[in-house]
Amino acid sequence: MASKMVVQQPKAVIMEAAPDQWNSSICECDNFHECCFSVWCFPCFACITARDHGECLCLPLLDSCGCVPPITLAMRVSMRKRYNIDDAMCNDCVYAAYCGPCSWCQMRREMKARGHPVSLFCNKTG
């Protein structure tokens, strides 16, 4: 029986995901109910979205500090890093400061587009 000697081991293949873009623009509204909910009950919408992203439910309530809402800014940066979205910190600052509800809607749409489970209401039985 002849044996075969391996002279060279296979090399690891490292695949790096290409930078991506947001799946929707800041003002795009694909779900009218969610857009209305974000405008008329913004704190609730932001808290639910933060919870679905894996953060503390009450974290967005700290946004009243400073000129640029720090939690909205941090959530946008976190989402960009998680999904490898190529965008600028300057855009995050502007959207967080001047387009709060639209920014949170965009983040929620992004989670849905990436297959992240989202729910506006938690239905627990049992």
Side-chain angles (χ1 to χ4, degrees), residues 57-91:
L57 174 69
C58 298
L59 191 64
L61 298 177
L62 299 174
D63 255 354
S64 60
C65 309
C67 296
V68 175
I71 305 307
T72 302
L73 179 60
M75 284 289 294
R76 285 188 63 83
V77 171
S78 170
M79 195 156 296
R80 284 194 307 109
K81 296 299 178 192
R82 177 180 287 182
Y83 298 129
N84 198 24
I85 296 172
D86 189 24
D87 204 352
M89 180 69 79
C90 183
N91 289 343

Side-chain angles (χ1 to χ4, degrees), residues 4-118:
K4 195 174 195 179
M5 181 183 276
V6 176
V7 178
Q8 186 177 7
Q9 292 289 327
K11 295 180 181 177
V13 176
I14 300 172
M15 296 183 69
E16 186 175 312
D20 211 354
Q21 301 296 320
W22 290 97
N23 283 307
S24 61
S25 69
I26 191 76
C27 294
E28 191 173 316
C29 182
D30 65 343
N31 186 332
F32 182 72
H33 299 293
E34 283 188 1
C35 290
C36 286
F37 184 41
S38 73
V39 170
W40 297 110
C41 193
F42 177 62
C44 296
F45 184 82
C47 288
I48 291 169
T49 303
R51 180 202 61 205
D52 289 345
H53 186 62
E55 299 298 333
C56 176
L57 174 69
C58 298
L59 191 64
L61 298 177
L62 299 174
D63 255 354
S64 60
C65 309
C67 296
V68 175
I71 305 307
T72 302
L73 179 60
M75 284 289 294
R76 285 188 63 83
V77 171
S78 170
M79 195 156 296
R80 284 194 307 109
K81 296 299 178 192
R82 177 180 287 182
Y83 298 129
N84 198 24
I85 296 172
D86 189 24
D87 204 352
M89 180 69 79
C90 183
N91 289 343
D92 293 334
C93 288
V94 170
Y95 294 152
Y98 299 108
C99 307
C102 294
S103 181
W104 282 93
C105 279
Q106 183 186 34
M107 290 188 282
R108 186 161 197 82
R109 287 190 305 269
E110 194 65 33
M111 289 191 305
K112 283 182 182 177
R114 305 288 179 140
H116 192 96
V118 294

